Amino acid sequence: MNRPEQQNSSIDLNQFNQVFFEECAEHLAEMEQILISLADAAPDSEQLNAIFRAAHSIKGGAGIFGFQDMTVVTHVLESLLDQIRNNEIPFTTAMIDLFLEAGDVIAMQLAGHRDGCEVRQEAIDQIRTRLRQVIDGEMTTAPVAVDITAAANSACLHADGGPRFYELLFTPAPDIFKRGVRLENLFSELEDLGELTATAQPTISAGLDENLDPEICTTCWKLTLVTTASEADLRDIFEFVADENQLKVRQIVSPQAAPIQAAAPGSAPPSPADSTQNAPCGTALIQAQLGRRAYDKNELAPGAYGRRGGEGEATIRVGVAKVDQLINQVGELVITQLMVAQTAASLDPVLYENLHRSLLQLERTTRDLQQSVMSIRLVPISIVFSRFPRMVRELAAKLGKQVELKTIGDSTELDKGLIEKITDPLTHLVRNCMDHALETPDTRIAAGKDASGTITLRASQIGGRIVIDVIDDGAGLNRAKILCKAAERGIPASDSMSDEEVWQLIFAPGFSTAEAVTDISGRGVGMDVVLRNVQSIGGRVQIISEQGKGTRVTVSLPLTLAILDGLSVAVGSEKFIIPLNSITESLQPLADSLKSVNGKRVIHVRGEYIPIVPLHELFHLKTSVTEPEKGILVLVDVDGEKAAVLVDTLLDEHQVVIKSIETNYRKVAGTAGATILGDGRVALILDVASLLEMRKSSAFAQ
Amino acid sequence: MQSVHETANNNQMGLPSEYLTFTLGNEEYGIDILKVQEIRGYDTVTHIANAPEFIKGVINLRGVIVPIVDMRIKFKVGEPTYHEFTVVIIMNVLDRVIGMVVDGVSDVVALAPEQIRPTPEMGAALDTHYITGLGTVNDQMLILVDIEKLMSSEEMQIIDHSN
């Protein structure tokens, strides 16, 4: 019986590895995001430190988890970054690309360990050599000149009212504590002025003994302060605390020293602190401070206990499975609460007033709890958007196009599961824009447009759905070309089709109008995959295009995969949930509003003829209500397509937890999952779009 | 998958494996006990649209949607009646939870490898394809079923084979 235990321990190790993989991927993404955001400018020390931290963490993690090969590249990268950080090597824009490539190599190694992907050793060796070369100073010297001007500029700034360095020697009177002076307040006031370091020295020469009076101050403080404030300001703070002879203030640097040092060839832009390095006296302390690793700096700050600096909000890394379990359990709680409420509803409201009041409270609390728990899974779409700037930048360079990428609504939140699944389709769409839609600068100028094309990614929440638009101002779709290509590929199409129908043709498998197949796109595997992926998560794709002006592809997704507002309806003995966001209205039809077209029944509502979809026919259910005038018609609208679903009666409106049928069974046509009703029974949730599809295919079959 | 190995191992090592036995019509069947999660009574099921007749529908098993298969309908044995004594075996197969309606659950028996005989070609309700062997317990024949293979088969229509 040792076997299971062994298995457990190996699983555990894998779990740790998994954590490393996740962290490593996050660090890589962070690094890339910073590099891209630089947009060819030199990074500030904060950004440089963040990149360094990322590389350092990857290296550390790789070492701990025994992925020695991953430490090789990260080590060289880290050394280089460290030298840049310490201004030993000037930063050049060429390094951005180099770092990006290094990131790719590390990502490749990561994928190799995680998914068993192929790892190309020569790429690893190559990037290592190139990083080495930079460290060994084989970079061109040209960018240094730029750095010097920058340095001079910053040095000039520094001279006019930049921060100054003070050394304060504070020897308080022995009775200072008895006077009720609080030194910590004093120091925090100084800290408000600038960067403060304090060193305490005991003034008694004898060792500590029992006679030591804790109320007598036997310490003097040596303080260094970097501030723009004047000496008088500093003395003000000590006004009621220290006499003239108890406080000595000394300014320790002459600002003029800075420009001379900064102008030295090959030196990088100095931070104000740097300029003190050659100053004659009193700099040892400051230098020592500079030598500390930058990420240690915030470690002593309040709230930073045990954390590295630069990490903004406090977060906890929790496995998705745990969150899902929580969501499930809360779902169960909601169901139980409903069951209790249903039972209690039959009790006399006067006799059981307290019970009813408590139940109302319980309902509110469970709803709130459910909302909070659901929101755990929501993440901002910027996670997806952030990967596009780099892709666009690289593709634009490859294709010789000028492209500007705009993102709107980065903070729109959607379910983590959706984020993972929407990434690939969006990548396809952006690639398509780059390759097919946007023209080269010459063509654009000839067409009277700006040489640089624009791709806009826009995310927003509209009702119960997340809508993501990929908009370009390129050439637009070519109707004639698409029809011609469709005919060539044997895809059924005709000239009489509306524009919308023609645009839908590009979703057909194997369809591509690109004249040349490039390594970016053109193999025609794009759009059908996009459509399939989006549909698999309950989304829809819509295209609006105008020739010469551009194209807008709209992907609309459900807000979350886990919860839904629905209307419960009954057909025979079965109950179904219709998603509320697809319902426009419900009505009891009058006999004279019902018409027949080609033997199919339609209902006439406010000037529109809407086809009737009898649910019992589609699902082969037994019910006494087979005629529309005896039942209820639920008017639904899915992306402009309307239908009237015939059901027996309407029951109630619920917020339901979506459960997958597919976990234990297979996909059921016409449904988007199942839920558990207040009585503990299962009800299927209807997928209106797929219902309409069913109706069409059954109509064709007849 | 672990339990499969364990059973196989036990067999190789000559140790007895345990089987849950149930009746379908006049025949006695056995499935690996490690595949069984629980046994419960038959509850109201929710009908699934356009599913084959032997898939009775889905139930709510403590928040999990579980499909229920009636083997009596599938293999045309016994009487598909539903009352308080109707038994559903909830199984864990292929990382799924599936319920199976049978005529009755009888016992748990341990069978050593030497008690299991290979299957002759014969006309059991189940295709011999899914039968791993025949056991003998108290002079009664027990048909041992590879329930994982059966449930994943195309004819059960539980798993989507189109993808």
Side-chain angles (χ1 to χ4, degrees), chain B residues 20-116:
Chain B
L20 176 77
T21 67
F22 57 87
T23 49
L24 267 183
N26 302 322
E27 290 165 358
E28 192 89 358
Y29 291 87
I31 55 169
D32 182 0
I33 191 84
L34 295 168
K35 298 270 181 283
V36 178
Q37 177 185 315
E38 61 186 277
I39 296 163
R40 66 199 316 272
Y42 185 84
D43 225 341
T44 336
V45 296
T46 299
H47 178 73
I48 295 180
N50 302 325
E53 200 196 348
F54 58 85
I55 292 181
K56 292 307 295 175
V58 286
I59 59 160
N60 161 28
L61 184 70
R62 294 182 295 277
V64 181
I65 310 280
V66 176
I68 302 295
V69 184
D70 194 329
M71 303 301 265
R72 301 170 301 183
I73 304 175
K74 172 67 195 165
F75 298 112
K76 301 186 181 67
V77 287
E79 271 303 305
T81 52
Y82 304 97
H83 46 76
E84 66 234 73
F85 303 115
T86 306
V87 173
V88 181
I89 303 174
I90 306 287
M91 303 171 297
N92 256 308
V93 284
L94 312 146
D95 294 326
R96 284 158 189 259
V97 184
I98 299 169
M100 173 168 80
V101 184
V102 293
D103 275 335
V105 171
S106 335
D107 204 355
V108 176
V109 295
L111 286 179
E114 60 270 16
Q115 285 175 278
I116 299 172

Side-chain angles (χ1 to χ4, degrees), chain A residues 21-34:
Chain A
F21 293 148
E22 274 172 34
E23 271 187 3
C24 185
E26 270 171 34
H27 287 310
L28 282 172
E30 189 194 349
M31 198 163 101
E32 187 177 305
Q33 189 219 326
I34 297 167

Side-chain angles (χ1 to χ4, degrees), chain A residues 357-662:
Chain A
R357 205 177 312 124
S358 313
L359 279 173
L360 272 180
Q361 181 65 41
L362 178 68
E363 185 183 337
R364 268 196 296 275
T365 316
T366 39
R367 288 261 173 266
D368 289 350
L369 179 65
Q370 193 177 28
Q371 295 241 309
S372 315
V373 168
M374 297 310 294
S375 72
I376 296 177
R377 276 190 66 100
L378 296 184
V379 285
I381 197 157
S382 55
I383 289 178
V384 184
F385 282 2
S386 63
R387 61 187 288 152
F388 292 122
R390 175 170 185 196
M391 197 184 93
V392 169
R393 175 191 152 109
E394 287 179 353
L395 278 183
K398 209 184 237 176
L399 294 164
K401 293 178 181 178
Q402 291 173 19
V403 184
E404 193 193 340
L405 181 75
K406 283 185 193 160
T407 55
I408 302 168
D410 289 43
S411 57
T412 308
E413 286 189 320
L414 64 163
D415 193 274
K416 186 162 193 300
L418 287 175
I419 288 269
E420 281 158 12
K421 288 181 176 135
I422 199 62
T423 308
D424 281 350
L426 281 183
T427 312
H428 265 299
L429 290 175
V430 174
R431 274 167 178 269
N432 268 342
C433 284
M434 299 282 301
D435 198 28
H436 302 301
L438 292 178
E439 317 91 325
T440 53
D442 300 343
T443 326
R444 288 184 66 90
I445 291 167
K449 290 201 256 189
D450 198 16
S452 157
T454 309
I455 297 178
T456 310
L457 292 171
R458 186 174 64 194
S460 54
Q461 186 183 341
I462 297 175
R465 295 185 86 80
I466 296 291
V467 177
I468 305 166
D469 291 320
V470 181
I471 308 160
D472 67 69
D473 63 349
L477 293 174
N478 187 329
R479 187 187 157 96
K481 216 162 153 187
I482 292 173
L483 283 172
C484 169
K485 199 78 177 182
E488 205 177 285
R489 294 281 153 97
I491 300 161
S494 76
D495 282 339
S496 61
M497 287 165 96
S498 70
D499 275 357
E500 281 77 49
E501 285 168 314
V502 174
W503 306 152
Q504 290 297 319
L505 289 175
I506 67 171
F507 290 117
F511 188 94
S512 174
T513 56
E515 266 122 43
V517 171
T518 64
D519 63 342
I520 295 151
S521 55
R523 288 187 213 88
V525 288
M527 290 308 263
D528 61 315
V529 176
V530 169
L531 184 68
R532 213 171 43 231
N533 286 0
V534 171
Q535 280 178 340
S536 73
I537 47 175
R540 332 212 180 284
V541 188
Q542 233 183 339
I543 301 181
I544 297 169
S545 179
E546 197 174 336
Q547 183 125 32
K549 292 240 176 92
T551 308
R552 185 174 88 197
V553 183
T554 304
V555 178
S556 86
L557 299 170
L559 186 57
T560 155
L561 295 172
I563 202 156
L564 171 127
D565 281 310
L567 181 74
S568 60
V569 299
V571 179
S573 57
E574 298 291 332
K575 288 177 185 171
F576 295 94
I577 307 285
I578 304 179
L580 218 49
N581 56 12
S582 56
I583 300 177
T584 48
E585 63 180 306
S586 306
L587 51 90
Q588 221 164 357
L590 298 168
D592 55 356
S593 63
L594 295 163
K595 315 274 181 219
S596 182
V597 176
N598 256 350
K600 297 272 161 206
R601 284 167 298 176
V602 297
I603 177 165
H604 190 211
V605 185
R606 288 188 290 278
E608 264 188 291
Y609 290 98
I610 298 169
I612 293 173
V613 183
L615 208 54
H616 68 274
E617 272 180 32
L618 275 184
F619 283 178
H620 304 101
L621 300 169
K622 284 190 199 84
T623 171
S624 52
V625 183
T626 51
E627 290 308 309
E629 50 268 53
K630 286 186 194 146
I632 302 271
L633 288 176
V634 181
L635 299 194
V636 291
D637 183 340
V638 184
D639 296 332
E641 196 177 345
K642 289 183 178 153
V645 179
L646 172 63
V647 298
D648 294 6
T649 49
L650 303 182
L651 296 172
D652 203 357
E653 210 181 291
H654 309 269
Q655 200 167 44
V656 298
V657 178
I658 304 176
K659 306 251 174 190
S660 166
I661 306 180
E662 282 167 82

Side-chain angles (χ1 to χ4, degrees), chain A residues 342-353:
Chain A
Q342 274 187 5
T343 316
S346 58
L347 299 174
D348 186 334
V350 180
L351 283 174
Y352 297 92
E353 195 194 336

Side-chain angles (χ1 to χ4, degrees), chain A residues 48 52 75-91 95 99 131-132 134-137 268:
Chain A
L48 207 50
F52 178 84
H75 176 70
V76 190
L77 180 66
E78 191 191 354
S79 327
L80 176 55
L81 284 165
D82 201 32
Q83 293 193 30
I84 296 173
R85 218 172 51 161
N86 293 334
N87 298 323
E88 287 161 34
I89 295 179
F91 186 85
M95 285 180 187
F99 289 159
L131 287 168
R132 265 273 151 241
V134 178
I135 295 176
D136 297 341

